[in-house]
Amino acid sequence: MQIPLFPLQSLLFPDGRLGLRIFEPRYLDMVKRCHERGEPFGVVALIDGGEVRQRASGSEDAGFVRERFQLVGTLAHIGLFERPQPGLMQILCRGGQRFRLHSSECLPHGLWMGEAELINEDGAVQVPADLRPAARLLQGLLHRLELGAAAAELPIQPPYLWNDCGWLANRWCELLPLPAEEKQRLMQLENPLLRLELVADQLEGLGITPD
């Protein structure tokens, strides 16, 4: 499948939430088309370059810096779509299926297009007894967040799949203060149980334990 790409400093995980304020012409047009057609775009994590297009040397005559990004990303499905003023869009997206890029091309106006293959969704794997503390910890964290924020603003939204390894691991990956490279490695893992085991190791290393 061919998809438009949105390289970002942050990662999007399946079933995760991503809010974006969009003002660059290359993305305004892309997001408008995706919204009208009900189609997703692909979020890929940047390796080099910025989210806003930059001149190579600061001169008006110079070319633009070419971004480099990871080859595995996640489809972003547009939910909330607002245009508060001309030249500005605000969208809220949900993470869909992961994909692997086989090739990518930067179009003349700066938009990247990718030829991608979808990666199978995580299978339903129940959380084993020794990893259930990770679920209880996240439930407790969500409860504390609920006391101080509106429901729509919470980083984790229903449905809550507390007994699903992939869903639980992904939500922790979004919240933990891990380097981007580590989050990317975890996102790419196709074994949800292994992903949750590695997340549990991170929680232990950070000294995060059930009350």
Side-chain angles (χ1 to χ4, degrees), residues 47-144:
I47 299 173
D48 289 322
E51 296 181 349
V52 178
R53 206 176 185 201
Q54 302 170 346
R55 292 277 179 184
S57 64
S59 141
E60 289 297 322
D61 298 325
F64 289 94
V65 173
R66 289 177 67 87
E67 300 94 344
R68 284 200 313 123
F69 41 80
Q70 299 284 355
L71 297 181
V72 174
T74 304
L75 295 179
H77 296 268
I78 301 171
L80 180 68
F81 177 92
E82 296 178 337
R83 304 192 76 161
Q85 63 188 57
L88 178 65
M89 290 178 182
Q90 295 183 166
I91 62 174
L92 182 62
C93 302
R94 177 186 59 82
Q97 207 163 343
R98 294 168 299 167
F99 61 85
R100 180 174 288 103
L101 289 172
H102 291 290
S103 63
S104 59
E105 175 188 11
C106 187
L107 303 182
H109 62 293
L111 179 68
W112 285 92
M113 296 294 296
E115 194 72 29
E117 171 191 8
L118 292 178
I119 297 173
N120 290 335
E121 295 180 348
D122 286 338
V125 179
Q126 290 193 352
V127 177
D130 62 317
L131 294 176
R132 285 177 194 157
R136 294 197 298 272
L137 279 167
L138 191 56
Q139 287 171 326
L141 175 59
L142 182 61
H143 177 67
R144 288 191 291 274

Side-chain angles (χ1 to χ4, degrees), residues 21-47:
R21 287 171 53 88
I22 300 161
F23 53 87
E24 284 195 87
R26 56 177 172 167
Y27 294 133
L28 288 170
D29 185 55
M30 180 267 281
V31 168
K32 178 176 178 289
R33 288 199 312 272
C34 287
H35 177 65
E36 291 175 346
R37 298 173 184 174
E39 297 174 348
F41 58 88
V43 172
V44 285
L46 280 163
I47 299 173

Side-chain angles (χ1 to χ4, degrees), residues 112-211:
W112 285 92
M113 296 294 296
E115 194 72 29
E117 171 191 8
L118 292 178
I119 297 173
N120 290 335
E121 295 180 348
D122 286 338
V125 179
Q126 290 193 352
V127 177
D130 62 317
L131 294 176
R132 285 177 194 157
R136 294 197 298 272
L137 279 167
L138 191 56
Q139 287 171 326
L141 175 59
L142 182 61
H143 177 67
R144 288 191 291 274
L145 292 174
E146 286 173 340
L147 299 177
E153 298 174 354
L154 294 172
I156 302 172
Q157 293 289 319
Y160 303 127
L161 307 180
W162 302 114
N163 199 35
D164 182 270
C165 283
W167 183 90
L168 182 60
N170 289 346
R171 303 293 75 79
W172 271 121
C173 288
E174 293 163 349
L175 295 171
L176 286 173
L178 302 175
E181 296 81 3
E182 179 62 15
K183 291 193 176 192
Q184 180 73 30
R185 184 175 76 91
L186 290 167
M187 189 266 284
Q188 292 182 190
L189 286 174
E190 297 189 31
N191 183 332
L193 175 57
L194 175 59
R195 193 183 313 138
L196 184 57
E197 289 173 341
L198 293 173
V199 163
D201 290 343
Q202 294 285 353
L203 291 169
E204 184 178 354
L206 292 169
I208 302 174
T209 57
D211 294 335

